[in-house]
Amino acid sequence: MTAPTPITASSTPSTPSPAPFTAPATDELLERVAAALKEKNFDVEILDDAAAARARVKDLIPEGSAVFTVASETLRLSGIEADINESGRYDSVKARGLTMDRATQMAEIWRMIACPDVVVGSVCAVTETGSLVAASASGSQLPAFAGSAPRAIWVVGAQKVVPDLDTALRRVGEYCVPLEDERAKKVYGVPSALNRLLVLNAEPHPGRGTVLLLREAIGF
């Protein structure tokens, strides 16, 4: 098996390369991706748009669950982030963490983030062979994604489908990282960086991970 092209973090990300990373996948391709993910024990649903995903996430998460929403433009733009963190329907890990002292309670905050009842987020890419690729500067979402959270839900726009892992890693480095760098500077006042990568090649526990594949493009 050929090793994927390495992706290195840059202190000054370049301008994102839009093509071919912005075009939504066709229905036929989404069906193939869904079949590949199902073979690897992910639960998969193909939904029309972000509104459908927003409604479905409410169905999937029991009221009162401790839920961690990772930093995600997909969740923000769809309204899922606000539904979870502001509605009062759930025990929002993010909201609870904001009330805690980061100087004295950081270890407790990390434990909450790593082991919520449910983690909800997105990924940078999903391959036609059924792998999910996530990238992070801090690594905060990766333990829960990787398996420490009993339930995981990923909302994935149709433009994130790529042929293989090589292309997925190029999408991360050439497209996602520059856009995330811009976002981080605006929101946090500091640049982002590609410090950690997670590739989920399969789900060892059937029923744990749900991928909501959208027919529309959302997020980056």
Side-chain angles (χ1 to χ4, degrees):
M1 182 174 70
T2 303
T5 303
I7 299 293
T8 57
S10 168
S11 59
T12 308
S14 59
T15 302
S17 304
F21 300 132
T22 58
T26 63
D27 279 355
E28 180 183 0
L29 180 51
L30 288 175
E31 292 287 352
R32 292 208 306 271
V33 172
L37 287 165
K38 289 175 182 177
E39 286 182 1
K40 296 184 173 184
N41 287 333
F42 293 100
D43 292 340
V44 187
E45 300 177 27
I46 299 176
L47 304 175
D48 282 339
D49 51 29
R54 186 178 184 181
R56 186 65 181 124
V57 167
K58 289 180 182 178
D59 293 337
L60 289 170
I61 305 176
E63 189 170 350
S65 298
V67 186
F68 175 47
T69 57
V70 311
S72 163
E73 283 296 276
T74 299
L75 297 192
R76 184 184 70 82
L77 293 169
S78 64
I80 293 170
E81 181 180 63
D83 288 344
I84 291 172
N85 297 321
E86 301 172 16
S87 67
R89 178 180 174 88
Y90 310 103
D91 175 10
S92 166
V93 170
K94 184 168 287 185
R96 191 157 26 115
L98 291 174
T99 69
M100 299 170 69
D101 187 340
R102 289 181 173 264
T104 61
Q105 296 179 288
M106 200 62 207
E108 185 179 349
I109 292 171
W110 272 95
R111 284 193 291 269
M112 290 192 321
I113 289 172
C115 297
D117 296 330
V118 185
V119 61
V120 184
S122 189
V123 291
C124 294
V126 54
T127 70
E128 293 182 33
T129 52
S131 294
L132 303 174
V133 179
S136 179
S138 68
S140 60
Q141 76 273 42
L142 301 187
F145 274 8
S148 61
R151 291 279 289 112
I153 300 170
W154 295 280
V155 183
V156 184
Q159 85 282 13
K160 297 184 179 184
V161 173
V162 295
D164 50 37
L165 190 56
D166 267 353
T167 312
L169 297 183
R170 282 205 306 109
R171 189 179 197 280
V172 172
E174 296 175 14
Y175 181 70
C176 299
V177 170
L179 289 174
E180 175 59 18
D181 186 66
E182 292 176 10
R183 188 195 73 84
K185 288 174 181 176
K186 291 177 183 177
V187 176
Y188 310 123
V190 295
S192 186
L194 179 55
N195 293 330
R196 290 165 171 82
L197 280 166
L198 175 68
V199 180
L200 299 168
N201 282 323
E203 177 50 64
H205 305 290
R208 174 188 174 266
T210 299
V211 181
L212 302 180
L213 284 176
L214 308 188
R215 291 187 172 94
E216 71 173 4
I218 184 172
F220 55 76

